[in-house]
Amino acid sequence: MRRVRPVRRYLDGWAERPVHPLVAGPPGGLSRAVVIPALAERDSLFTTLADLARQPHQELSETLVLVVVNNRRPPLEDPEAVRNNRETLEILESLIRGGKPGPGGAVPGKAAEGPVPSAADPAEGDASLRLAESLEVIRRSPLRLACLDASSPGCEIPDKDGVGLARKLGLDRALALLDPDRAEGGALVCLDADTRVDGCYLSAVGGFFDREEAPAAVIDFTHQEAGDPVLRRAILRYEIFLRAYVLGLRWAGSPYAFHTVGSTIACTGAAYAAVRGMSRRRAGEDFYFLNKLAKTGPVGRIGGTTVRPSPRPSLRVPFGTGRRMALVLSGEESAAGETYDPAVFGILRDGFALLEENPDRSGEDWLGRARRIHPVLAQFLEGQDFCRAWESIRRQAPGPAHLRRQFHGWFDAFRTLRAVHALRDGGLPNVPLLEGAGRLLEMAGRPPAAVPGDPGPGGDADAATLLAALREGEAAAGFHP
């Protein structure tokens, strides 16, 4: 059977050229692929791969796990990161070809063939032991592993690119390797090299796309617990911030009420092709990719399993979890945190209600009513040239359902975030995190056991209560946001 038409068209015209060396086992029989970008991840990647290797054998037989080892060229990339990547590639290639690699090139269990960790450096010894154990799990499993070399001299990713291109290289190559007769072009799944997954991870992903007619979904997540107490407190509150924002959007009635965490994204091959693939951005690629996917259909939620991203600090990207944790540890940002005033989401809710009340109202009428909701909302819409956009949407929409889709295609995730920031900067400043999240839960009809105030003694208990309530609320929301 020939490939799904959008997939064939994408591979022919929009996919990255397959110029990076690929090492993989025999092709065929693949219904899905998990793509993992890796930059200096030798000490964490193989733990993640061992988690995947423990999945049910039937799921592994249909799944390709493709690691994209990537870096920019020196001196833009740290030489130590490049060396780490070279070692990672050597181990991956040995695994794929049936070898028995180990730390420093040693065969696990044969210490004489590799460096012996010093008793004076127990951390190094623990890391070597963990690596050896992970490699043995991978070697003994039917994991279908592949690696793409975007690291060696002449193969590096361009200077201006980063993780977005690394994901795209892997997803593009994986899409071409999936069986062409799979419905909707198979499934593509994003994961990160420092992220842990449950034993039912692949079963949950496969089951979702077997049951649901959805172009994309995000998998339930919770951050790993940090060892450092400051970092632990910070990641707890950062996750509350993420979930409060999604709850606010859901309560407001936005179709973009889903998390945009890169290691939780899954989509069909056809949907991936329809939006012309992953964004090449150095940061925020997950946000922009899901923003495009949501315009092709509802983004679902995959429950029954949990992805566990790392809370480690990182300055590789200008924003996101790693950057936030690094700023907290450096003292440049408070661990207590803030969130958007819940009133912001009430204004969005009232604005979206105008669409339901009378989808045929004129743009000027809409602006007048928006001005009565909040003057900043009207100012924002005017600044976005709303009237012209709205009249175009009205002319092209054959009915209310189509008009609603077209409106939210214009008022997309990016424009929604800009509206939230306009309201914040126009008189509704951020509020303390726990207070704001607690109020949002009350507004959504899911109050926690107690609505906390600013964190103080016992603040972590308050934060944990809030986070549990936010997670339960997402689980209760079901498939559609």
Side-chain angles (χ1 to χ4, degrees), residues 385-464:
D385 202 7
F386 171 75
C387 285
R388 185 172 68 173
W390 177 245
E391 295 307 325
S392 175
I393 290 170
R394 289 176 69 199
R395 283 196 306 271
Q396 297 176 36
H402 188 85
L403 183 142
R404 188 179 297 109
R405 285 197 301 273
Q406 290 290 92
F407 169 80
H408 284 296
W410 180 80
F411 206 96
D412 62 5
F414 182 57
R415 194 167 262 122
T416 298
L417 182 60
R418 292 183 64 189
V420 168
H421 287 176
L423 290 163
R424 176 199 62 192
D425 299 338
L428 292 168
N430 288 351
V431 299
L433 176 68
L434 303 190
E435 173 195 331
R439 283 168 53 196
L440 269 172
L441 280 163
E442 285 198 320
M443 291 160 62
R446 300 191 65 88
V451 179
D454 290 328
D460 281 342
D462 286 342

Coordinates of all heavy atoms in Angstrom, one line a residue, residues 385-464:
D385 N -5.6 43.9 14.8 CA -6.4 44.1 13.6 C -7.6 43.1 13.6 O -7.8 42.5 12.6 CB -5.5 44.0 12.4 CG -6.1 44.7 11.2 OD1 -7.2 45.3 11.3 OD2 -5.6 44.5 10.1
F386 N -8.3 43.0 14.7 CA -9.3 42.0 14.9 C -10.4 42.2 13.9 O -10.9 41.2 13.3 CB -9.9 42.0 16.3 CG -11.1 41.2 16.5 CD1 -11.0 39.8 16.5 CD2 -12.3 41.7 16.6 CE1 -12.1 39.0 16.7 CE2 -13.5 41.0 16.7 CZ -13.4 39.6 16.8
C387 N -10.9 43.4 13.7 CA -12.1 43.6 12.8 C -11.9 43.0 11.4 O -12.7 42.3 10.9 CB -12.4 45.1 12.8 SG -13.2 45.7 14.3
R388 N -10.7 43.3 10.8 CA -10.4 42.8 9.5 C -10.4 41.3 9.5 O -10.9 40.6 8.6 CB -9.2 43.4 8.9 CG -8.9 43.0 7.5 CD -7.7 43.7 6.9 NE -6.5 43.3 7.5 CZ -5.3 43.7 7.0 NH1 -5.2 44.5 6.0 NH2 -4.2 43.2 7.6
A389 N -9.7 40.7 10.5 CA -9.6 39.2 10.6 C -11.0 38.6 10.8 O -11.3 37.6 10.2 CB -8.7 38.8 11.8
W390 N -11.8 39.2 11.6 CA -13.2 38.7 11.9 C -14.1 38.7 10.7 O -14.8 37.8 10.4 CB -13.8 39.5 13.1 CG -15.2 39.0 13.4 CD1 -16.3 39.7 13.3 CD2 -15.6 37.7 13.9 NE1 -17.4 39.0 13.7 CE2 -17.0 37.8 14.1 CE3 -14.9 36.6 14.2 CZ2 -17.7 36.7 14.6 CZ3 -15.6 35.5 14.7 CH2 -17.0 35.5 14.9
E391 N -14.0 39.8 10.0 CA -14.9 39.9 8.8 C -14.4 38.8 7.7 O -15.3 38.3 7.1 CB -14.8 41.3 8.2 CG -15.4 42.4 9.1 CD -16.8 42.1 9.5 OE1 -17.6 41.5 8.8 OE2 -17.1 42.4 10.7
S392 N -13.2 38.6 7.6 CA -12.7 37.5 6.7 C -13.2 36.2 7.2 O -13.6 35.3 6.4 CB -11.2 37.6 6.7 OG -10.7 36.5 5.9
I393 N -13.1 35.9 8.5 CA -13.6 34.7 9.1 C -15.1 34.5 8.8 O -15.5 33.4 8.4 CB -13.3 34.6 10.6 CG1 -11.8 34.4 10.8 CG2 -14.0 33.4 11.2 CD1 -11.4 34.6 12.3
R394 N -15.9 35.6 9.0 CA -17.3 35.5 8.8 C -17.6 35.2 7.3 O -18.6 34.4 7.0 CB -18.0 36.8 9.2 CG -18.0 37.0 10.7 CD -18.6 38.4 11.0 NE -20.0 38.5 10.7 CZ -20.7 39.6 10.5 NH1 -20.1 40.8 10.5 NH2 -22.0 39.6 10.2
R395 N -16.9 35.8 6.4 CA -17.2 35.6 5.0 C -16.9 34.1 4.6 O -17.6 33.6 3.7 CB -16.3 36.5 4.1 CG -16.8 37.9 4.1 CD -16.2 38.7 2.9 NE -14.7 38.6 3.0 CZ -13.9 39.5 3.6 NH1 -14.5 40.5 4.3 NH2 -12.6 39.4 3.6
Q396 N -15.9 33.5 5.2 CA -15.5 32.2 4.7 C -16.1 31.0 5.5 O -16.0 29.9 5.0 CB -14.0 32.1 4.9 CG -13.2 33.1 4.0 CD -11.7 33.0 4.3 OE1 -11.2 31.9 4.5 NE2 -11.0 34.1 4.2
A397 N -16.8 31.3 6.6 CA -17.3 30.3 7.4 C -18.7 29.9 6.9 O -19.6 30.7 6.9 CB -17.4 30.7 8.9
P398 N -19.0 28.6 6.6 CA -20.3 28.2 6.1 C -21.3 28.0 7.2 O -22.5 27.9 7.0 CB -20.0 26.9 5.4 CG -18.8 26.4 6.0 CD -18.0 27.5 6.4
G399 N -20.8 27.9 8.5 CA -21.7 27.7 9.6 C -21.0 28.0 10.9 O -19.8 28.2 11.0
P400 N -21.8 27.9 12.0 CA -21.2 28.3 13.3 C -20.0 27.4 13.8 O -19.1 27.9 14.3 CB -22.4 28.1 14.3 CG -23.6 28.2 13.4 CD -23.2 27.7 12.1
A401 N -20.1 26.1 13.5 CA -19.0 25.3 13.9 C -17.7 25.6 13.2 O -16.6 25.7 13.8 CB -19.3 23.8 13.7
H402 N -17.8 25.9 11.9 CA -16.6 26.3 11.1 C -16.1 27.6 11.6 O -14.9 27.9 11.7 CB -17.0 26.3 9.6 CG -15.8 26.5 8.7 ND1 -15.0 25.4 8.3 CD2 -15.2 27.6 8.2 CE1 -14.0 25.9 7.6 NE2 -14.1 27.2 7.5
L403 N -17.0 28.6 11.8 CA -16.6 29.9 12.3 C -15.9 29.8 13.6 O -14.9 30.5 13.8 CB -17.9 30.8 12.4 CG -17.6 32.2 12.8 CD1 -18.6 33.1 12.1 CD2 -17.8 32.4 14.3
R404 N -16.4 28.9 14.5 CA -15.7 28.8 15.8 C -14.3 28.3 15.6 O -13.3 28.7 16.2 CB -16.5 27.8 16.7 CG -16.0 27.7 18.1 CD -16.9 26.8 18.9 NE -18.3 27.2 19.0 CZ -19.3 26.7 18.4 NH1 -19.1 25.6 17.6 NH2 -20.5 27.1 18.5
R405 N -14.1 27.3 14.7 CA -12.8 26.7 14.5 C -11.9 27.8 13.9 O -10.7 27.9 14.2 CB -12.9 25.5 13.5 CG -13.4 24.2 14.2 CD -13.0 23.0 13.3 NE -13.6 23.1 12.0 CZ -14.8 22.7 11.7 NH1 -15.6 22.2 12.6 NH2 -15.2 22.8 10.4
Q406 N -12.4 28.6 12.9 CA -11.6 29.6 12.3 C -11.2 30.7 13.3 O -10.1 31.2 13.3 CB -12.4 30.2 11.1 CG -12.6 29.3 9.9 CD -11.3 29.1 9.2 OE1 -10.6 28.1 9.5 NE2 -11.0 30.0 8.3
F407 N -12.2 31.1 14.2 CA -11.8 32.1 15.2 C -10.7 31.6 16.0 O -9.7 32.3 16.3 CB -13.1 32.4 16.0 CG -12.7 33.2 17.2 CD1 -12.6 34.6 17.1 CD2 -12.6 32.6 18.5 CE1 -12.2 35.4 18.2 CE2 -12.2 33.4 19.6 CZ -12.1 34.8 19.5
H408 N -10.8 30.4 16.6 CA -9.7 29.9 17.4 C -8.4 29.6 16.7 O -7.4 29.5 17.3 CB -10.2 28.7 18.2 CG -11.1 29.0 19.3 ND1 -10.7 29.7 20.4 CD2 -12.5 28.7 19.5 CE1 -11.8 29.9 21.2 NE2 -12.8 29.3 20.7
G409 N -8.6 29.4 15.4 CA -7.3 29.3 14.5 C -6.6 30.6 14.5 O -5.4 30.6 14.4
W410 N -7.4 31.7 14.5 CA -6.8 33.0 14.6 C -6.3 33.4 16.0 O -5.2 33.8 16.2 CB -7.8 34.1 14.1 CG -7.2 35.5 14.1 CD1 -6.4 36.0 13.2 CD2 -7.5 36.5 15.1 NE1 -6.1 37.3 13.5 CE2 -6.8 37.6 14.7 CE3 -8.2 36.5 16.3 CZ2 -6.8 38.8 15.5 CZ3 -8.2 37.6 17.1 CH2 -7.5 38.8 16.7
F411 N -7.2 33.2 17.0 CA -6.9 33.4 18.4 C -6.2 32.2 18.9 O -6.8 31.5 19.8 CB -8.2 33.8 19.2 CG -7.9 34.6 20.4 CD1 -8.1 36.0 20.3 CD2 -7.5 34.1 21.6 CE1 -7.9 36.8 21.4 CE2 -7.3 34.8 22.7 CZ -7.5 36.2 22.6
D412 N -5.1 31.9 18.4 CA -4.4 30.6 18.7 C -3.6 30.6 20.1 O -3.8 31.6 20.8 CB -3.5 30.2 17.6 CG -2.4 31.2 17.3 OD1 -2.2 32.1 18.1 OD2 -1.6 31.0 16.3
A413 N -2.8 29.6 20.3 CA -2.1 29.6 21.6 C -1.2 30.7 21.8 O -1.0 31.3 22.9 CB -1.4 28.2 21.7
F414 N -0.5 31.1 20.7 CA 0.4 32.2 20.8 C -0.3 33.6 21.1 O 0.1 34.3 21.9 CB 1.3 32.3 19.6 CG 2.3 33.4 19.6 CD1 3.3 33.5 20.6 CD2 2.3 34.4 18.6 CE1 4.2 34.5 20.6 CE2 3.3 35.4 18.7 CZ 4.2 35.5 19.7
R415 N -1.4 33.8 20.3 CA -2.1 35.0 20.5 C -2.8 35.0 21.9 O -3.0 36.1 22.5 CB -3.2 35.2 19.4 CG -3.8 36.6 19.3 CD -4.5 36.8 18.0 NE -3.7 37.5 17.1 CZ -3.4 37.1 15.8 NH1 -3.8 35.9 15.4 NH2 -2.6 37.8 15.0
T416 N -3.2 33.9 22.4 CA -3.8 33.8 23.7 C -2.8 34.2 24.8 O -3.1 34.9 25.7 CB -4.3 32.3 24.0 OG1 -5.3 32.0 23.0 CG2 -4.9 32.2 25.4
L417 N -1.6 33.7 24.6 CA -0.5 34.0 25.6 C -0.2 35.5 25.6 O 0.0 36.2 26.6 CB 0.7 33.2 25.3 CG 1.9 33.4 26.3 CD1 1.5 33.1 27.7 CD2 3.1 32.6 25.8
R418 N -0.2 36.1 24.4 CA 0.0 37.5 24.3 C -1.2 38.3 24.9 O -0.9 39.3 25.5 CB 0.1 37.9 22.8 CG 1.4 37.4 22.1 CD 1.5 37.8 20.7 NE 1.7 39.3 20.6 CZ 1.6 40.0 19.5 NH1 1.4 39.3 18.3 NH2 1.8 41.3 19.5
A419 N -2.4 37.8 24.8 CA -3.5 38.5 25.4 C -3.4 38.4 26.9 O -3.7 39.4 27.6 CB -4.8 37.8 25.0
V420 N -3.0 37.3 27.4 CA -2.8 37.1 28.9 C -1.7 38.1 29.4 O -1.9 38.8 30.4 CB -2.4 35.7 29.2 CG1 -1.8 35.5 30.7 CG2 -3.5 34.7 29.0
H421 N -0.6 38.2 28.6 CA 0.4 39.2 29.0 C -0.1 40.6 28.9 O 0.3 41.5 29.7 CB 1.7 38.9 28.2 CG 2.4 37.7 28.6 ND1 3.5 37.2 27.9 CD2 2.2 36.8 29.5 CE1 3.9 36.1 28.4 NE2 3.1 35.8 29.4
A422 N -0.9 40.9 27.9 CA -1.4 42.3 27.8 C -2.3 42.6 29.0 O -2.2 43.8 29.5 CB -2.2 42.4 26.5
L423 N -3.1 41.7 29.4 CA -4.0 42.0 30.6 C -3.1 42.1 31.8 O -3.4 42.9 32.7 CB -5.0 40.8 30.7 CG -6.1 40.8 29.6 CD1 -6.8 39.5 29.5 CD2 -7.1 42.0 29.9
R424 N -2.1 41.2 31.9 CA -1.2 41.3 33.1 C -0.6 42.7 33.2 O -0.5 43.3 34.2 CB -0.2 40.2 33.0 CG 0.9 40.3 34.1 CD 2.1 39.5 33.7 NE 2.8 40.1 32.5 CZ 3.7 39.5 31.8 NH1 4.2 38.3 32.1 NH2 4.3 40.1 30.8
D425 N -0.1 43.2 32.0 CA 0.7 44.4 32.0 C -0.3 45.6 32.0 O 0.2 46.8 32.2 CB 1.6 44.5 30.8 CG 2.6 43.4 30.7 OD1 2.9 42.9 31.8 OD2 3.1 43.0 29.6
G426 N -1.6 45.4 31.8 CA -2.5 46.5 31.7 C -3.4 46.7 32.9 O -4.5 47.2 32.8
G427 N -2.9 46.2 34.0 CA -3.7 46.5 35.3 C -4.0 45.3 36.1 O -4.6 45.4 37.2
L428 N -3.7 44.1 35.6 CA -3.9 42.8 36.4 C -2.6 42.1 36.6 O -2.4 41.1 36.0 CB -4.9 41.9 35.7 CG -6.4 42.5 35.5 CD1 -7.2 41.7 34.5 CD2 -7.0 42.5 36.9
P429 N -1.8 42.6 37.5 CA -0.5 42.0 37.7 C -0.5 40.6 38.3 O -1.6 40.2 38.9 CB 0.2 43.0 38.7 CG -0.9 43.7 39.4 CD -2.0 43.8 38.4
N430 N 0.6 39.9 38.2 CA 0.6 38.6 38.8 C 0.4 38.6 40.3 O 0.6 39.6 41.0 CB 2.0 38.0 38.5 CG 2.2 37.6 37.0 OD1 1.3 37.6 36.2 ND2 3.5 37.3 36.7
V431 N -0.1 37.4 40.8 CA -0.4 37.3 42.2 C 0.5 36.1 42.7 O 1.1 35.3 41.9 CB -1.9 36.9 42.4 CG1 -2.7 38.0 41.9 CG2 -2.2 35.6 41.7
P432 N 0.7 36.0 44.0 CA 1.5 34.9 44.6 C 0.9 33.6 44.1 O -0.3 33.4 44.0 CB 1.3 35.1 46.1 CG 1.0 36.5 46.3 CD 0.2 37.0 45.1
L433 N 1.9 32.7 43.8 CA 1.5 31.4 43.1 C 0.5 30.6 43.8 O -0.6 30.2 43.2 CB 2.8 30.6 42.9 CG 2.6 29.2 42.3 CD1 2.2 29.3 40.8 CD2 3.9 28.4 42.4
L434 N 0.6 30.3 45.0 CA -0.3 29.4 45.7 C -1.7 30.1 45.9 O -2.7 29.4 45.7 CB 0.3 29.0 47.1 CG 1.6 28.3 47.1 CD1 1.9 27.7 48.5 CD2 1.7 27.2 46.0
E435 N -1.7 31.4 46.1 CA -3.0 32.1 46.2 C -3.7 32.0 44.9 O -4.9 31.7 44.8 CB -2.7 33.5 46.6 CG -4.0 34.4 46.5 CD -3.6 35.9 46.6 OE1 -2.6 36.2 47.2 OE2 -4.4 36.7 46.0
G436 N -3.0 32.3 43.8 CA -3.6 32.3 42.5 C -4.1 31.0 42.0 O -5.2 30.8 41.5
A437 N -3.3 29.9 42.2 CA -3.7 28.6 41.9 C -4.9 28.1 42.7 O -5.8 27.4 42.2 CB -2.5 27.6 42.0
G438 N -4.9 28.5 44.0 CA -6.0 28.1 44.8 C -7.3 28.7 44.3 O -8.4 28.1 44.3
R439 N -7.3 30.0 44.0 CA -8.5 30.7 43.5 C -8.9 30.1 42.2 O -10.1 30.0 41.9 CB -8.1 32.2 43.3 CG -8.1 33.0 44.6 CD -7.5 34.4 44.4 NE -8.2 35.1 43.3 CZ -7.6 36.2 42.8 NH1 -6.4 36.6 43.2 NH2 -8.3 36.8 41.8
L440 N -8.0 29.7 41.3 CA -8.4 29.1 40.0 C -9.1 27.8 40.3 O -10.1 27.5 39.6 CB -7.2 28.9 39.2 CG -6.8 30.0 38.2 CD1 -5.4 29.7 37.5 CD2 -7.9 30.2 37.1
L441 N -8.6 27.0 41.2 CA -9.3 25.8 41.5 C -10.7 26.0 42.0 O -11.7 25.3 41.7 CB -8.5 25.0 42.5 CG -7.3 24.2 41.9 CD1 -6.3 23.8 43.1 CD2 -7.8 23.0 41.2
E442 N -10.9 27.0 42.8 CA -12.2 27.3 43.3 C -13.1 27.8 42.2 O -14.3 27.4 42.1 CB -12.1 28.4 44.4 CG -11.6 28.0 45.7 CD -11.9 28.9 46.8 OE1 -11.9 30.1 46.6 OE2 -12.3 28.5 47.9
M443 N -12.6 28.6 41.3 CA -13.4 29.1 40.2 C -13.8 27.9 39.3 O -14.9 28.0 38.7 CB -12.6 30.1 39.4 CG -12.4 31.4 40.1 SD -11.0 32.4 39.5 CE -11.6 32.8 37.9
A444 N -13.0 26.9 39.1 CA -13.2 25.8 38.3 C -14.1 24.7 39.0 O -14.4 23.7 38.4 CB -11.9 25.2 37.8
G445 N -14.5 25.0 40.3 CA -15.3 24.1 41.0 C -14.6 22.9 41.6 O -15.2 21.9 41.9
R446 N -13.2 23.0 41.7 CA -12.4 21.9 42.3 C -11.5 22.5 43.4 O -10.3 22.5 43.3 CB -11.6 21.2 41.3 CG -12.4 20.6 40.1 CD -11.5 19.7 39.3 NE -11.0 18.6 40.0 CZ -11.7 17.4 40.1 NH1 -12.9 17.3 39.6 NH2 -11.2 16.4 40.8
P447 N -12.1 23.0 44.5 CA -11.3 23.6 45.5 C -10.4 22.6 46.2 O -10.8 21.5 46.5 CB -12.3 24.2 46.5 CG -13.5 23.4 46.3 CD -13.5 23.1 44.8
P448 N -9.2 23.0 46.6 CA -8.3 22.1 47.4 C -8.8 22.0 48.8 O -9.8 22.7 49.2 CB -6.9 22.7 47.3 CG -7.2 24.2 47.1 CD -8.5 24.2 46.2
A449 N -8.2 21.2 49.6 CA -8.7 21.0 51.0 C -8.6 22.4 51.7 O -9.4 22.6 52.6 CB -7.8 20.0 51.7
A450 N -7.6 23.2 51.4 CA -7.5 24.5 51.9 C -6.9 25.4 50.9 O -6.0 25.0 50.2 CB -6.7 24.5 53.2
V451 N -7.4 26.7 50.8 CA -6.8 27.6 49.9 C -5.6 28.3 50.6 O -5.9 29.1 51.5 CB -7.8 28.6 49.4 CG1 -7.1 29.6 48.4 CG2 -9.0 27.9 48.7
P452 N -4.4 28.0 50.2 CA -3.2 28.6 50.9 C -2.9 30.0 50.5 O -3.4 30.5 49.5 CB -2.1 27.6 50.6 CG -2.5 27.2 49.2 CD -4.0 27.1 49.2
G453 N -2.1 30.7 51.3 CA -1.6 32.0 51.0 C -0.2 31.9 50.6 O 0.3 30.9 50.0
D454 N 0.6 32.9 50.9 CA 2.0 32.9 50.6 C 2.7 31.7 51.3 O 2.4 31.4 52.4 CB 2.7 34.2 51.0 CG 2.2 35.3 50.1 OD1 2.0 35.0 48.9 OD2 2.1 36.5 50.6
P455 N 3.7 31.0 50.6 CA 4.3 30.0 51.3 C 5.2 30.5 52.5 O 5.8 31.5 52.4 CB 5.2 29.4 50.2 CG 5.4 30.5 49.2 CD 4.2 31.3 49.3
G456 N 5.1 29.8 53.6 CA 5.8 30.1 54.8 C 6.2 28.8 55.4 O 6.3 27.8 54.7
P457 N 6.2 28.7 56.7 CA 6.4 27.4 57.4 C 5.2 26.5 57.0 O 4.1 26.9 57.1 CB 6.4 27.7 58.9 CG 6.8 29.2 58.9 CD 6.3 29.8 57.7
G458 N 5.5 25.3 56.5 CA 4.5 24.4 56.0 C 4.0 24.7 54.6 O 3.1 24.1 54.1
G459 N 4.7 25.7 53.9 CA 4.3 26.0 52.6 C 4.4 24.9 51.6 O 3.7 24.8 50.7
D460 N 5.4 24.0 51.8 CA 5.5 22.8 50.9 C 4.3 21.9 51.0 O 3.9 21.3 50.0 CB 6.8 22.1 51.2 CG 8.1 22.8 50.6 OD1 7.9 23.6 49.8 OD2 9.2 22.5 51.1
A461 N 3.8 21.8 52.2 CA 2.6 20.9 52.3 C 1.4 21.6 51.6 O 0.6 20.9 50.9 CB 2.2 20.7 53.8
D462 N 1.3 22.9 51.7 CA 0.2 23.6 50.9 C 0.4 23.4 49.4 O -0.5 23.2 48.7 CB 0.3 25.1 51.3 CG -0.3 25.4 52.6 OD1 -1.0 24.5 53.2 OD2 0.0 26.5 53.1
A463 N 1.7 23.6 49.0 CA 2.0 23.4 47.6 C 1.7 22.0 47.1 O 1.1 21.8 46.0 CB 3.4 23.8 47.3
A464 N 2.0 21.0 47.9 CA 1.8 19.6 47.5 C 0.3 19.4 47.4 O -0.2 18.7 46.5 CB 2.4 18.7 48.5

